[in-house]
Amino acid sequence: KITTNYNQNEDNINVVVRVRPLSKKEMQRGDTQIVDFPGNGQIMVGDYWGNVHLLGSPIWFQVDHCARTGSDSHKPKRFSYNVVFEPGATQEDVLQFSGMKRLISMAIEGFRCTCFCYGQTGSGKTHTLTGPPGLIGTRTVPYSENHGLIFRSFQYLFQQIQLQSDTHFVLKASYLEIYNEKVIDLLNSGSLRKPLAVRWSKKACGFFVENLFTVDCEELDDLIAVLEEGLRNRSIGRHNMNDYSSRSHTILTVHISSELPAENGVFISRTGKINFVDLAGSEMTKKTQSQGKMLEEANNINKSLMVLGYCIATLSDPKKRSSHIPYRDSKLTKLLADSLAGNGATLMIACISPAKSNACETVNTLRYAARAK
Ligand code: ADP
Ligand code: MG
């Protein structure tokens, strides 16, 4: 069900792939599953097939026919991922085996961490992060197998914090949306739709959103309330919710500060954070590229996604890692810069559909994800 292949302690950008099940709608219209796992760790995507080597060597795809996606290359490609979640994998599997728990532990220790979901609209990004829409109001429901990664991470975070009883923790959370390069606060409904500025400061150790509402969270319920409030505000007043959410990114951030008493009345203080990012649909990247539009137009549709891909690909290439990384080219990458580089850690969850009708986007997502490894 899950194939792993990683040394997560060494990499600061980890990539996992999650394949959602074929939906009822897809089955009804006669769509078929073309992403397959024929055992032995193999992955097949239609004409694209590949072997997954268990533990130790990378998972790879060999592309033996590219005409269908209009790709320029007919050479075999090596794609490598850390973990592959097959359609039967549960929400809890994703928490347990994606490397998310390590990210949370790192954030507690003072690192800046990001978990983001990438993939075409309908591939399961929001499902993976927050679960199905009906789960808003979950505070009254103690447990559902549908609870997403954010909810589960919050629970795990509090469990970990409670284990460190001699350390004093302060948690704060914020939730924002980036739509068309405008940053909108999802927690302060008074300022809803009034864009906020992204600035850089030495004190903040990087980029930050000016006047962003930050909520003190003493208990697990407070964090969950932040998630619910953001989800609620995200869905208010949107004529075409699907269209809107497929074109916007949301970032839920938990800031974790701690003080541990050391010798002679001295305290060791640490400040880490963790971002949960639900990205815009990846089909947007293709649209801007395939229509030959240049950066200004990509700016209107979804520049951030392209810049993020470029930053990650550059960071993942040991030869280019020390060269210029264009974080400043989009709001999204500005806000994620500290966790992408430096001492941070990033988990990318590439979400794909198993359906034949989505084959091209699926291969594009696998390529994008492989570039990040
Ligand atoms: P995205 O956010 O990438 O646009 P969604 O998360 O909204 O996609 O998923 C699209 C549909 O597929 C939703 O109805 C969702 O509930 C369903 N879905 C996605 N992933 C899974 C999964 N792993 N198991 C069951 N249903 C899923
Ligand atoms: Mg979504």
Side-chain angles (χ1 to χ4, degrees), residues 176-184 193 195-196 331:
L176 62 84
E177 181 168 53
I178 305 174
Y179 181 75
N180 200 12
E181 284 300 278
K182 291 189 179 74
V183 176
I184 292 155
R193 297 238 167 117
L196 303 175
K331 301 264 165 71

Side-chain angles (χ1 to χ4, degrees), residues 172-176 187 212-215 226 251-255:
K172 290 171 194 283
S174 61
Y175 205 172
L176 62 84
L187 294 183
L212 185 67
F213 208 61
T214 343
V215 180
V226 164
I251 307 181
L252 192 164
T253 308
V254 183
H255 300 266

Side-chain angles (χ1 to χ4, degrees), residues 291-304:
Q291 293 168 17
K293 292 176 180 170
M294 296 315 288
L295 276 181
E296 312 92 65
E297 278 216 50
N299 189 11
N300 291 332
I301 301 180
N302 230 307
K303 183 177 171 181
S304 326

